[in-house]
Amino acid sequence: MNLRNPRTDEKGAVVPGVRTAPKDRSARWDHVLTLLASTKRLSVADVARELEVSESTVRRDFMEMERAQLARRTHGGIVAVDVAYSLATVPRRADEDSAQRERVAERAATMVEPGQIIGFNGGRSTTATARRTVARPDLDVRDGVPGLTVVCAALNIATEAVLRPSVRTVVLGGVAEPYSFELTGPLATATMRDLWLDTMFVGTVGLDVHAGLTCNSDAEAGVTRIMIGHSRRVVGLATADKIGHRALAGICPVSVLTDLVMAGPVPDALRAHLEETSVRLHEV
């Protein structure tokens, strides 16, 4: 099985090249889930060769993925849980940006307490955070009360949450945007006005001291602003590539955040602004 589609010569032989196989568990999982979304089935041997790790490591990963309901084990491999991969997702790359997003997601997921009501707007960082959060083993249904309630402004995040029996999934109505899968429009905003959150996780296209958090759609920004206004705690999620960038539509000033989970170097100007506005910085 050819997972990476490597270059071959005219005789069909693989041309050697530089491999950048992910080594840590979070990067391995991200890479495996990306492959699984397209192939639907993976074998232990193929993944071990692809990631340059032992087959015992891959088997442990597969066992934990099944426990987290991200895949189903078969003899010698895993297969995709059809519902989880029925909706298109933004391709994830095994690069430094992906590794940073996973570090952000890992830290952000620890901020959630069992039984809370949490919200997500769309984006790769929020999707990774939602995936890690709903997979936590301590989120059990107790006395009929869900282990967690997730309010989703994006369809792909809803598919991450709805597979979990202990998680109550609330999806806003509205018009689905074709690239971000976010739900927008009067129906989405009307629904959100009746809901209240403990914690809102906010992904962003750009993060600038003066412009604040920004995205590419004023419709998406409008729904996110209402979610922020209905939350006790607002956690921004950002990687180094977002800093200093300004997208079209403003989501909120940096000062609206209660926390910022940040991967990569933090510029002095941003660090000072966070201190001045009492925003807690979590560097990962």
Side-chain angles (χ1 to χ4, degrees):
M1 183 177 180
N2 196 344
L3 299 178
R4 279 183 179 268
N5 297 318
R7 290 188 301 116
T8 57
D9 59 21
E10 63 274 8
K11 296 182 179 180
V14 174
V15 177
V18 177
R19 295 175 61 89
T20 56
K23 297 297 184 182
D24 66 284
R25 190 182 73 160
S26 64
R28 288 199 310 270
W29 280 35
D30 188 69
H31 194 71
V32 168
L33 289 172
T34 300
L35 293 171
L36 197 59
S38 59
T39 65
K40 306 300 182 184
R41 181 182 296 270
L42 295 171
S43 74
V44 170
D46 287 333
V47 172
R49 285 194 299 271
E50 168 75 4
L51 302 186
E52 298 176 344
V53 296
S54 68
E55 291 192 3
S56 61
T57 295
V58 175
R59 290 191 186 94
R60 285 195 299 271
D61 283 347
F62 285 2
M63 288 178 62
E64 293 176 14
M65 286 180 175
E66 182 178 57
R67 191 176 299 119
Q69 301 180 36
L70 294 173
R72 180 168 56 83
R73 281 193 299 159
T74 61
H75 180 70
I78 55 172
V79 296
V81 178
D82 288 341
V83 176
Y85 300 99
S86 62
L87 185 68
T89 57
V90 177
R92 289 170 285 172
R93 301 170 298 169
D95 56 10
E96 178 59 22
D97 288 347
S98 175
Q100 288 185 350
R101 283 193 298 274
E102 289 301 320
R103 294 203 302 272
V104 168
E106 184 174 15
R107 173 65 67 85
T110 66
M111 297 180 174
V112 176
E113 297 293 334
Q116 284 190 327
I117 304 168
I118 64 174
F120 297 95
N121 67 340
R124 287 177 292 181
S125 294
T126 48
T127 300
T129 299
R131 183 182 304 118
R132 286 178 174 271
T133 302
V134 299
R136 281 176 39 174
D138 59 334
L139 302 177
D140 297 323
V141 176
R142 298 177 183 176
D143 300 323
V145 178
L148 191 70
T149 298
V150 176
V151 178
C152 307
L155 292 174
N156 63 319
I157 292 179
T159 65
E160 298 283 354
V162 75
L163 294 172
R164 317 292 173 167
S166 60
V167 176
R168 176 170 57 184
T169 305
V170 179
V171 183
L172 302 183
V175 178
E177 298 293 323
Y179 298 106
S180 67
F181 311 120
E182 288 199 60
L183 295 161
T184 63
L187 185 56
T189 55
T191 302
M192 191 59 227
R193 287 194 181 101
D194 292 329
L195 303 177
W196 298 92
L197 310 174
D198 293 306
T199 302
M200 173 65 184
F201 292 97
V202 185
T204 181
V205 174
L207 194 159
D208 181 83
V209 169
H210 302 291
L213 281 67
T214 56
C215 66
N216 292 320
S217 167
D218 58 341
E220 294 174 12
V223 176
T224 303
R225 282 195 296 269
I226 296 176
M227 297 180 79
I228 289 171
H230 282 220
S231 181
R232 290 190 177 96
R233 188 179 190 184
V234 182
V235 181
L237 309 175
T239 50
D241 59 308
K242 311 294 185 184
I243 304 303
H245 179 66
R246 296 183 181 185
L248 171 67
I251 297 173
C252 68
V254 175
S255 59
V256 169
L257 303 177
T258 58
D259 303 80
L260 174 63
V261 184
M262 176 76 198
V266 180
D268 292 339
L270 176 58
R271 190 182 297 275
H273 185 64
L274 295 172
E275 292 177 357
E276 291 171 3
T277 54
S278 300
V279 177
R280 292 182 291 269
L281 175 64
H282 308 263
E283 297 182 73
V284 294

